[in-house]
Amino acid sequence: MKNRSTPLILCCVLMLMLSGFSFFSRSKTALHKPAVKKSAYYKVVIDKSNYELKVYDEEGWLFTYPVVFGSSELTDKMMEGDRRTPEGTYRIIAKKLHAEWGHFLLLDYPTQSDIEKFNARKSQGVIPANARPGGGIGIHATRRNEDRFVDYYYNWTLGCISTKREYAKELYTLLPVGTEVTILR
């Protein structure tokens, strides 16, 4: 019986790793500058390679939140349904409370630049001729009781940026519609 369970366990571990799950936990708290005052200007920079979302005001860095994404393949979004998180510069165009994902900051994806990249990939045959660019990309919370996904780098979204519920609420409260959001690989 012991020999039969070993391949099953190895298969499960391999599937978890391929799905983006990491056995290494990271700091469960955000990094904050000691005193944060309300500002008229904010900018967000999301670094996919470091799983970080940084918020800046006119004086510089304010805080850093841990985040996760869609696919564990941290490349640029190519088309609807690929679960990849886009790369580029966006704006927050709406704020809403989502029944499943809590506080949600909708981004203006796809931008003209995204459409140009999409059309170029389509004409080169990199993506199917009937593909669509997709939309509905935003920054939002994890589902209830799933903040651990952020601690273990588990990429689970459909292409959005996700952080812990508490952090998503802080971002929702702080960042106004119109805030610039840059997503880097």
Side-chain angles (χ1 to χ4, degrees):
M1 186 66 137
K2 188 175 185 183
N3 290 339
R4 289 184 185 178
S5 64
T6 302
L8 180 62
I9 291 170
L10 290 174
C11 183
C12 289
V13 169
L14 179 62
M15 293 303 291
L16 282 171
M17 288 171 44
L18 290 174
S19 71
F21 183 84
S22 172
F23 291 100
F24 302 103
S25 180
R26 62 178 144 179
S27 171
K28 293 177 171 67
T29 59
L31 301 173
H32 286 83
K33 195 183 227 183
V36 176
K37 63 181 182 2
K38 195 73 171 164
S39 174
Y41 167 84
Y42 292 103
K43 180 176 178 165
V44 174
V45 176
I46 297 168
D47 181 349
K48 293 192 323 188
S49 63
N50 289 317
Y51 289 80
E52 292 179 338
L53 180 153
K54 294 185 178 195
V55 178
Y56 298 87
D57 69 4
E58 63 274 348
E59 294 179 16
W61 172 80
L62 290 175
F63 41 84
T64 302
Y65 291 119
V67 292
V68 294
F69 308 101
S71 170
S72 58
E73 188 180 330
L74 297 178
T75 55
D76 193 15
K77 184 162 195 62
M78 296 185 71
M79 63 183 179
E80 182 177 66
D82 66 6
R83 295 188 54 233
R84 296 178 187 176
T85 302
E87 296 167 3
T89 300
Y90 306 95
R91 296 248 177 230
I92 296 172
I93 58 169
K95 296 164 72 169
K96 63 182 182 177
L97 293 176
H98 189 278
E100 189 174 1
W101 304 317
H103 294 85
F104 191 103
L105 302 169
L106 181 65
L107 302 179
D108 64 347
Y109 174 87
T111 62
Q112 185 59 41
S113 174
D114 294 311
I115 297 296
E116 289 168 8
K117 288 190 289 186
F118 173 78
N119 288 334
R121 290 170 178 150
K122 212 177 206 186
S123 68
Q124 295 164 359
V126 175
I127 57 177
N130 65 344
R132 298 185 329 199
I137 300 294
I139 301 167
H140 61 74
T142 58
R143 292 179 288 237
R144 282 181 177 72
N145 302 314
E146 292 184 351
D147 277 354
R148 68 188 178 284
F149 286 179
V150 176
D151 293 330
Y152 291 99
Y153 302 93
Y154 182 73
N155 293 319
W156 65 274
T157 74
L158 298 175
C160 291
I161 300 94
S162 177
T163 191
K164 294 182 178 188
R165 294 184 79 79
E166 157 191 3
Y167 304 153
K169 183 177 181 180
E170 289 176 16
L171 290 168
Y172 185 92
T173 302
L174 181 71
L175 301 175
V177 168
T179 299
E180 182 178 302
V181 176
T182 302
I183 305 173
L184 310 168
R185 185 176 331 172

